[in-house]
PDB file of all heavy atoms in Angstrom:
ATOM      1  N   TYR Y 193       6.937  24.725  -0.954  1.00 95.00           N
ATOM      2  CA  TYR Y 193       5.629  24.145  -0.655  1.00 95.00           C
ATOM      3  C   TYR Y 193       5.248  24.489   0.775  1.00 95.00           C
ATOM      4  O   TYR Y 193       6.094  24.828   1.595  1.00 95.00           O
ATOM      5  CB  TYR Y 193       5.629  22.625  -0.859  1.00 95.00           C
ATOM      6  CG  TYR Y 193       6.422  21.829   0.143  1.00 95.00           C
ATOM      7  CD1 TYR Y 193       5.790  21.088   1.142  1.00 95.00           C
ATOM      8  CD2 TYR Y 193       7.825  21.786   0.090  1.00 95.00           C
ATOM      9  CE1 TYR Y 193       6.522  20.339   2.057  1.00 95.00           C
ATOM     10  CE2 TYR Y 193       8.555  21.038   0.995  1.00 95.00           C
ATOM     11  CZ  TYR Y 193       7.902  20.318   1.986  1.00 95.00           C
ATOM     12  OH  TYR Y 193       8.617  19.570   2.894  1.00 95.00           O
ATOM     13  N   ARG Y 194       3.984  24.429   1.049  1.00 90.00           N
ATOM     14  CA  ARG Y 194       3.452  24.622   2.387  1.00 90.00           C
ATOM     15  C   ARG Y 194       2.199  23.769   2.502  1.00 90.00           C
ATOM     16  O   ARG Y 194       1.739  23.189   1.511  1.00 90.00           O
ATOM     17  CB  ARG Y 194       3.135  26.098   2.662  1.00 90.00           C
ATOM     18  CG  ARG Y 194       2.099  26.688   1.733  1.00 90.00           C
ATOM     19  CD  ARG Y 194       1.902  28.174   1.985  1.00 90.00           C
ATOM     20  NE  ARG Y 194       0.952  28.765   1.059  1.00 90.00           N
ATOM     21  CZ  ARG Y 194      -0.367  28.756   1.217  1.00 90.00           C
ATOM     22  NH1 ARG Y 194      -0.899  28.144   2.297  1.00 90.00           N
ATOM     23  NH2 ARG Y 194      -1.165  29.315   0.332  1.00 90.00           N
ATOM     24  N   SER Y 195       1.639  23.696   3.689  1.00 89.00           N
ATOM     25  CA  SER Y 195       0.431  22.899   3.879  1.00 89.00           C
ATOM     26  C   SER Y 195      -0.757  23.588   3.221  1.00 89.00           C
ATOM     27  O   SER Y 195      -1.126  24.703   3.594  1.00 89.00           O
ATOM     28  CB  SER Y 195       0.160  22.706   5.373  1.00 89.00           C
ATOM     29  OG  SER Y 195      -1.024  21.953   5.562  1.00 89.00           O
ATOM     30  N   THR Y 196      -1.325  22.940   2.218  1.00 82.00           N
ATOM     31  CA  THR Y 196      -2.496  23.491   1.510  1.00 82.00           C
ATOM     32  C   THR Y 196      -3.701  22.557   1.643  1.00 82.00           C
ATOM     33  O   THR Y 196      -4.661  22.665   0.885  1.00 82.00           O
ATOM     34  CB  THR Y 196      -2.174  23.713   0.023  1.00 82.00           C
ATOM     35  OG1 THR Y 196      -1.639  22.508  -0.547  1.00 82.00           O
ATOM     36  CG2 THR Y 196      -1.154  24.833  -0.139  1.00 82.00           C
ATOM     37  N   TRP Y 197      -3.633  21.654   2.598  1.00 79.00           N
ATOM     38  CA  TRP Y 197      -4.703  20.672   2.786  1.00 79.00           C
ATOM     39  C   TRP Y 197      -6.015  21.358   3.162  1.00 79.00           C
ATOM     40  O   TRP Y 197      -6.058  22.205   4.047  1.00 79.00           O
ATOM     41  CB  TRP Y 197      -4.302  19.691   3.879  1.00 79.00           C
ATOM     42  CG  TRP Y 197      -5.371  18.710   4.238  1.00 79.00           C
ATOM     43  CD1 TRP Y 197      -6.234  18.776   5.282  1.00 79.00           C
ATOM     44  CD2 TRP Y 197      -5.691  17.519   3.532  1.00 79.00           C
ATOM     45  NE1 TRP Y 197      -7.074  17.698   5.287  1.00 79.00           N
ATOM     46  CE2 TRP Y 197      -6.768  16.901   4.216  1.00 79.00           C
ATOM     47  CE3 TRP Y 197      -5.178  16.904   2.400  1.00 79.00           C
ATOM     48  CZ2 TRP Y 197      -7.332  15.703   3.790  1.00 79.00           C
ATOM     49  CZ3 TRP Y 197      -5.734  15.714   1.977  1.00 79.00           C
ATOM     50  CH2 TRP Y 197      -6.796  15.124   2.672  1.00 79.00           C
ATOM     51  N   GLY Y 198      -7.082  21.006   2.451  1.00 67.00           N
ATOM     52  CA  GLY Y 198      -8.415  21.460   2.824  1.00 67.00           C
ATOM     53  C   GLY Y 198      -8.818  22.815   2.275  1.00 67.00           C
ATOM     54  O   GLY Y 198      -9.952  23.243   2.489  1.00 67.00           O
ATOM     55  N   THR Y 199      -7.929  23.509   1.566  1.00 68.00           N
ATOM     56  CA  THR Y 199      -8.312  24.797   1.000  1.00 68.00           C
ATOM     57  C   THR Y 199      -9.298  24.586  -0.149  1.00 68.00           C
ATOM     58  O   THR Y 199      -9.345  23.520  -0.761  1.00 68.00           O
ATOM     59  CB  THR Y 199      -7.084  25.567   0.503  1.00 68.00           C
ATOM     60  OG1 THR Y 199      -6.383  24.763  -0.459  1.00 68.00           O
ATOM     61  CG2 THR Y 199      -6.153  25.894   1.652  1.00 68.00           C
ATOM     62  N   GLY Y 200     -10.076  25.612  -0.452  1.00 52.00           N
ATOM     63  CA  GLY Y 200     -11.122  25.472  -1.457  1.00 52.00           C
ATOM     64  C   GLY Y 200     -10.597  25.476  -2.879  1.00 52.00           C
ATOM     65  O   GLY Y 200      -9.585  26.106  -3.193  1.00 52.00           O
ATOM     66  N   ARG Y 201     -11.307  24.777  -3.743  1.00 55.00           N
ATOM     67  CA  ARG Y 201     -11.051  24.779  -5.174  1.00 55.00           C
ATOM     68  C   ARG Y 201     -12.389  24.977  -5.876  1.00 55.00           C
ATOM     69  O   ARG Y 201     -13.408  24.408  -5.458  1.00 55.00           O
ATOM     70  CB  ARG Y 201     -10.405  23.446  -5.626  1.00 55.00           C
ATOM     71  CG  ARG Y 201      -8.977  23.242  -5.110  1.00 55.00           C
ATOM     72  CD  ARG Y 201      -8.022  24.234  -5.771  1.00 55.00           C
ATOM     73  NE  ARG Y 201      -6.646  24.008  -5.359  1.00 55.00           N
ATOM     74  CZ  ARG Y 201      -6.060  24.561  -4.316  1.00 55.00           C
ATOM     75  NH1 ARG Y 201      -6.767  25.360  -3.522  1.00 55.00           N
ATOM     76  NH2 ARG Y 201      -4.805  24.333  -4.029  1.00 55.00           N
ATOM     77  N   SER Y 202     -12.397  25.766  -6.959  1.00 52.00           N
ATOM     78  CA  SER Y 202     -13.666  26.077  -7.619  1.00 52.00           C
ATOM     79  C   SER Y 202     -13.795  25.481  -9.007  1.00 52.00           C
ATOM     80  O   SER Y 202     -14.916  25.282  -9.497  1.00 52.00           O
ATOM     81  CB  SER Y 202     -13.853  27.601  -7.715  1.00 52.00           C
ATOM     82  OG  SER Y 202     -12.779  28.189  -8.436  1.00 52.00           O
ATOM     83  N   TRP Y 203     -12.662  25.187  -9.686  1.00 46.00           N
ATOM     84  CA  TRP Y 203     -12.781  24.651 -11.042  1.00 46.00           C
ATOM     85  C   TRP Y 203     -13.448  23.282 -11.000  1.00 46.00           C
ATOM     86  O   TRP Y 203     -13.041  22.408 -10.241  1.00 46.00           O
ATOM     87  CB  TRP Y 203     -11.404  24.538 -11.717  1.00 46.00           C
ATOM     88  CG  TRP Y 203     -11.532  24.238 -13.186  1.00 46.00           C
ATOM     89  CD1 TRP Y 203     -11.650  25.133 -14.209  1.00 46.00           C
ATOM     90  CD2 TRP Y 203     -11.572  22.934 -13.795  1.00 46.00           C
ATOM     91  NE1 TRP Y 203     -11.767  24.487 -15.412  1.00 46.00           N
ATOM     92  CE2 TRP Y 203     -11.731  23.130 -15.187  1.00 46.00           C
ATOM     93  CE3 TRP Y 203     -11.521  21.636 -13.302  1.00 46.00           C
ATOM     94  CZ2 TRP Y 203     -11.812  22.081 -16.096  1.00 46.00           C
ATOM     95  CZ3 TRP Y 203     -11.611  20.587 -14.194  1.00 46.00           C
ATOM     96  CH2 TRP Y 203     -11.753  20.802 -15.570  1.00 46.00           C
ATOM     97  N   GLY Y 204     -14.490  23.088 -11.811  1.00 47.00           N
ATOM     98  CA  GLY Y 204     -15.202  21.816 -11.836  1.00 47.00           C
ATOM     99  C   GLY Y 204     -16.181  21.654 -10.695  1.00 47.00           C
ATOM    100  O   GLY Y 204     -16.619  20.543 -10.404  1.00 47.00           O
ATOM    101  N   GLY Y 205     -16.513  22.750  -9.994  1.00 47.00           N
ATOM    102  CA  GLY Y 205     -17.397  22.667  -8.837  1.00 47.00           C
ATOM    103  C   GLY Y 205     -16.601  22.772  -7.551  1.00 47.00           C
ATOM    104  O   GLY Y 205     -15.416  22.434  -7.505  1.00 47.00           O
TER     105      GLY Y 205
END
Side-chain angles (χ1 to χ4, degrees):
Y193 70 105
R194 61 184 177 84
S195 179
T196 52
W197 175 262
T199 57
R201 292 291 183 270
S202 59
W203 191 88

